[in-house]
Every structure is written in structure tokens, then in C-alpha cells.
Amino acid sequence: MGTARDKLVDGLYGLGWAGVKKLPEPAAVALGRRIADFAWKRRGTSVLRLESNLARVVPDAGPERLRELSRAGMRSYMRYWMESFRLPAMDPGRFSTDVEMKDEHILRGALASGRGVVVALPHLANWDLAGAWAIGHIGVPFTTVAERLKPETLYDRFVAYRESLGMEVLPHNGGAAFGTLARRLRSGGLVCLVADRDLSASGIEVDFFGATARMPAGPALLAQQTGAVLLPATLYYGDTPKMYGRIHPAVEVPEAGTRIEKTAVMTQGVADAFATGIAEHPEDWHMLQRLWLDDLEERP
């Protein structure tokens, strides 16, 4: 049975899904900006962590510049939520006009090969909107994995929301999810995974903006095991209501080395592509948690 806090959190998200999608778009945009500015001015833990992360991405930024970036970052983060709340009610025709993806021919070509495709994304801009674009514009459904959230009712809302957009959502249950993803890829399907943070024991250490972080091994392992094409993708917002993105060149499986060595090389390749997109649009990177190993608190 959920706690009072769990019920409050679930109720607030439920209110967002029920209420925000009914607002006129300009009103939803204005509401998101007001909430973002309120949170930013409070200088809470998440805002301070965002600034700490951005300091690594933009190392020459002074305190004033970091505050500007964190304010823009919170506005971008709330834009993600406002858009996501409204996505189920959005005209599917807008998925093609509201998203502009550079080098989408790379994705189309990989899908046409029949090998299956793994798209790995960081927490940039709106990855749910990018998924809706893939379904509505490219015309290909895909499978993804969602971390189990607390309370369970909140997780169920997230899954139902994403499934309403046409995604197949698997719970993050280790081998069971991996096996299903592998089957989808072997049949030529598309798998999309948010892959810029993994603090588990199976995470792969990568050099990321000059320090060590861990990222998931899954995308590289799936590509090795199934022969699928591994494509990093990055997203960003511009000065228009559109969202923009880029499909990066494929990360190839090395010809030599053990599976662990190949996975490390490939995951570093994904991290490098992520770093390129994040450095170009740091304000759209929604990383409000600890990421780098030397930022993690020591635990007994």
C-alpha cells in the first residue's frame, strides 16, 4: 500500500496529464516557464546539481553564466514535461512538422538493411517526442525500457502514456528485458534507449567531459549479440516551437578484442557522440542527478 507521499506524487502527475493537455498551447508554455523559474529561484538540490554538471560541460563558465545556463536548463526541463503531458492529445500530423531531424537518412538506411537498429539517446530535450516522431514520421514502432518508479501507480501512468503513443515499453528487469529487445532486433525492429546514466555494477566506465562516468552496456551488447546497427542520436530545442535533432553515424563493432573490450570501445563511442550534442546545447541536457563517479557519495 502506498504512502501518503506516494499518493501525493501520483496525484500531482495525474493532474498534470489530465489538466495540462487541455490547456491552450500558449498557456501550457507560460505555465511551464513559471514553474521552472520558481524552482530555479529556490536554488534547491536539483538546481545546484544541474549547475555542477553544467560546470563540467562548460568549464570556462563563471558563476553568472552557470546561473543563466541552469535557468535555461530548468525552462527546458519543464518544456519537456509540458510537451509530454500534451503529447497524447496532439495531432499526430504534428510529429513530422514539429520535429526536424538532421541526417535522418542514416536511420532510414539502417532500418532498410533489415538488421535491426538500436538508437541510444541522452537526456536531451524531449526523447518522448522523438519517439513519437519515429512512429508518426518514419512509420516504425519501437521498443524501449522504463525504469520502475515509485509509487507503482506512477510507473503504470508512464507506461500507459508511452504505450498510447505507440511504443512498446518493457520494465527494467535485467535479462528478461534484454532478451525481448534482442528478439525485436533480430526481426529487424527498432529499439530506443536513453543511455547516458548508469550507476549499476554493470555500467561501463567512459571518459565524459574529462572525467569518468558510467553508461549502460546494453546498447553495445545488443548490437554485438544481434548484429543490429547502433546509432547515437542527440536532440535540442531552438528558438522556435520545433525540436531539432541529429542522427549520428553508426558506432561499429570492433573487429578485435573480447566482448568486454568491444563493449567498452563502443560505449565510449556513444559517449563521445552524446558529448558533442550536449556541448552544443548544454541548456537542454536534463541531468539533475549525480553522474560522474567522483561526485558520488561514498556508501558503506
Side-chain angles (χ1 to χ4, degrees), residues 55-297:
R56 293 185 183 265
V57 175
V58 191
D60 58 345
E64 184 176 347
R65 173 60 176 151
L66 284 176
R67 284 175 63 88
E68 291 174 355
L69 280 173
S70 68
R71 184 177 190 179
M74 292 303 293
R75 287 181 171 184
S76 175
Y77 184 50
M78 287 311 302
R79 175 174 172 177
Y80 160 78
W81 281 110
M82 292 298 113
E83 286 180 346
S84 294
F85 287 149
R86 293 175 57 79
L87 271 178
M90 188 181 293
D91 177 4
R94 291 185 57 183
F95 297 151
S96 293
T97 59
D98 286 12
V99 178
E100 187 174 313
M101 196 71 66
K102 183 179 180 182
D103 294 329
E104 70 172 80
H105 69 277
I106 296 176
L107 174 58
R108 289 184 179 274
L111 289 167
S113 73
R115 293 168 52 191
V117 178
V118 181
V119 174
L121 306 98
H123 287 83
L124 272 171
N126 192 336
W127 46 98
D128 285 320
L129 179 57
W133 169 84
I135 295 169
H137 181 68
I138 302 293
V140 178
F142 66 89
T143 304
T144 189
V145 173
E147 182 180 358
R148 284 201 172 275
L149 302 172
K150 295 292 183 181
E152 285 288 327
T153 49
L154 177 58
Y155 171 79
D156 292 339
R157 286 183 187 274
F158 269 96
V159 170
Y161 150 64
R162 287 178 171 138
E163 288 180 341
S164 74
L165 300 174
M167 309 176 191
E168 180 187 21
V169 183
L170 306 176
H172 192 283
N173 287 336
F178 188 93
T180 302
L181 295 173
R183 288 193 294 274
R184 299 293 182 268
L185 291 169
R186 289 193 181 100
S187 64
L190 175 63
V191 166
C192 297
L193 301 171
V194 179
D196 57 345
R197 184 174 185 263
D198 186 346
L199 304 182
S200 71
S202 62
I204 301 297
E205 292 189 1
V206 296
D207 179 83
F208 198 53
F209 291 101
T212 303
R214 284 199 194 105
M215 293 190 181
L221 287 173
L222 283 167
Q224 290 179 64
Q225 187 163 315
T226 68
V229 182
L230 174 54
L231 299 178
T234 53
L235 310 168
Y236 63 97
Y237 292 125
D239 296 328
T240 72
K242 278 189 176 185
M243 185 180 76
Y244 301 85
R246 176 189 174 192
I247 305 295
H248 294 257
V251 174
E252 302 292 347
V253 178
E255 294 184 3
T258 65
R259 187 172 74 160
I260 293 175
E261 291 169 342
K262 291 178 180 180
T263 301
V265 170
M266 296 174 72
T267 305
Q268 184 64 60
V270 171
D272 291 343
F274 288 174
T276 297
I278 293 168
E280 291 174 351
H281 303 279
E283 69 279 2
D284 289 323
W285 189 39
H286 306 153
M287 187 55 65
L288 281 67
Q289 302 85 22
R290 298 175 189 270
L291 176 69
W292 284 272
L293 299 193
D294 55 14
D295 282 338
L296 299 180
E297 298 175 349

Side-chain angles (χ1 to χ4, degrees), residues 20-39:
V20 172
K21 66 183 178 183
K22 297 179 181 178
L23 291 175
E25 191 165 342
V29 171
L31 175 61
R33 179 161 292 199
R34 284 197 297 271
I35 294 173
D37 288 349
F38 174 77

